[in-house]
């Protein structure tokens, strides 16, 4: 996936936008949900509009979003917002759209929402998509190992490597391999069978 070279939002700006989307009931729910996915998971709108309700996995108290492998956990209150949106998605009233599986159904039967239209609507409510994605991916790279971010969010290794270099990190700082064994091959204390 390509990340814009435009300046990213600051972390304070990203969190303020996220907070606004979670609480502003005057903003259409579909825009709130799409914006939250951009701000948390750094996904491009071309990918977001291709999500289906089947990509949202809900098992009791746990809600996951399938963006890559493994599926990404959705924290509260985002999970509640997403589940409420799924229960009452718009553009479902047309006779040909009533069984739509798209998370963001489009106006045309059987089609998802258009990413360009979603982008302009998000811009109208103050969410600059490219800058928000840049801020979100950089924050994820501060919190998680690069290979985990690449796999979980569906980013190419080269893109993640470039973003790490730009932020002063390196892919190699995360050791590969099985960390459940010590270098000598013995299991660490507490993991041996008794």
């Amino acid at each position: 996936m390509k990340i814009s070279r435009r300046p990213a939002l600051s972390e304070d700006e990203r969190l303020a936008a996220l907070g606004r989307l979670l609480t502003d009931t005057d903003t259409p729910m579909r825009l709130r949900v799409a914006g939250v996915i951009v701000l948390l998971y750094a996904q491009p709108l071309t990918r977001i509009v291709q999500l289906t309700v089947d990509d949202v996995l809900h098992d009791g108290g746990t809600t996951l979003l399938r963006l890559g492998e493994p599926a990404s956990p959705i924290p509260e209150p985002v999970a509640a917002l997403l589940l409420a949106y799924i229960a009452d998605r718009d553009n479902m009233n047309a006779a040909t759209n009533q069984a739509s599986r798209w998370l963001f159904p489009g106006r045309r039967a059987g089609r998802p929402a258009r990413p360009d239209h979603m982008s302009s609507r998000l811009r109208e409510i103050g969410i600059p998509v490219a800058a928000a994605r840049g801020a979100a991916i950089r924050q994820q790279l501060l919190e998680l190992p690069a290979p985990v971010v690449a796999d979980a969010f569906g980013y190419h290794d080269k893109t993640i490597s470039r973003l790490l270099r730009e932020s002063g990190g390196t892919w190699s700082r995360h050791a590969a391999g099985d960390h459940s064994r010590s270098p000598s091959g013995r299991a660490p204390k507490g993991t041996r069978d008794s």
Side-chain angles (χ1 to χ4, degrees):
M1 289 182 204
K2 185 177 180 184
I3 298 285
S4 172
R5 302 261 182 186
R6 287 182 229 151
L9 298 176
S10 71
E11 183 60 4
D12 288 341
E13 291 169 323
R14 184 181 79 89
L15 293 175
L18 188 57
R20 186 170 46 83
L21 291 175
L22 290 171
T23 59
D24 183 3
T25 57
D26 291 334
T27 298
M29 196 175 288
R30 87 180 332 210
L31 294 178
R32 293 170 63 197
V33 169
V36 166
I37 294 171
V38 170
L39 288 161
L40 282 181
Y41 302 105
Q43 296 299 299
L45 289 172
T46 53
R47 186 155 184 226
I48 290 172
V49 299
Q50 294 296 316
L51 293 170
T52 68
V53 293
D54 302 315
D55 292 317
V56 179
L57 311 170
H58 182 65
D59 178 17
T62 303
T63 306
L64 304 170
L65 183 59
R66 192 177 10 236
L67 300 169
E69 290 301 327
S72 299
I74 303 174
E76 285 296 342
V78 176
L81 176 70
L82 181 57
L83 294 173
Y85 167 72
I86 289 172
D88 193 28
R89 289 174 292 155
D90 52 0
N91 291 339
M92 297 295 290
N93 294 333
T96 54
N97 250 5
Q98 290 179 348
S100 176
R101 302 303 294 166
W102 297 115
L103 187 56
F104 299 99
R107 292 184 182 178
R108 296 179 68 188
R111 306 286 300 172
R114 290 188 2 242
D116 60 329
H117 183 258
M118 183 82 72
S119 179
S120 67
R121 295 290 314 276
L122 285 169
R123 230 180 355 265
E124 287 172 10
I125 64 164
I127 307 297
V129 175
R133 283 183 61 219
I137 194 67
R138 284 171 177 82
Q139 185 61 35
Q140 292 296 336
L141 289 170
L142 289 174
E143 296 174 4
L144 299 168
V148 171
V149 173
D151 290 345
F153 298 150
Y155 276 82
H156 192 278
D157 295 349
K158 288 183 181 182
T159 301
I160 294 296
S161 293
R162 178 181 54 80
L163 291 169
L164 272 172
R165 279 192 311 275
E166 289 173 2
S167 62
T170 63
W171 187 282
S172 61
R173 72 182 169 102
H174 302 289
D178 180 2
H179 298 286
S180 65
R181 299 239 170 239
S182 70
S184 66
R186 289 179 292 177
K189 287 183 183 177
T191 62
R192 291 184 189 134
D193 293 322
S194 311

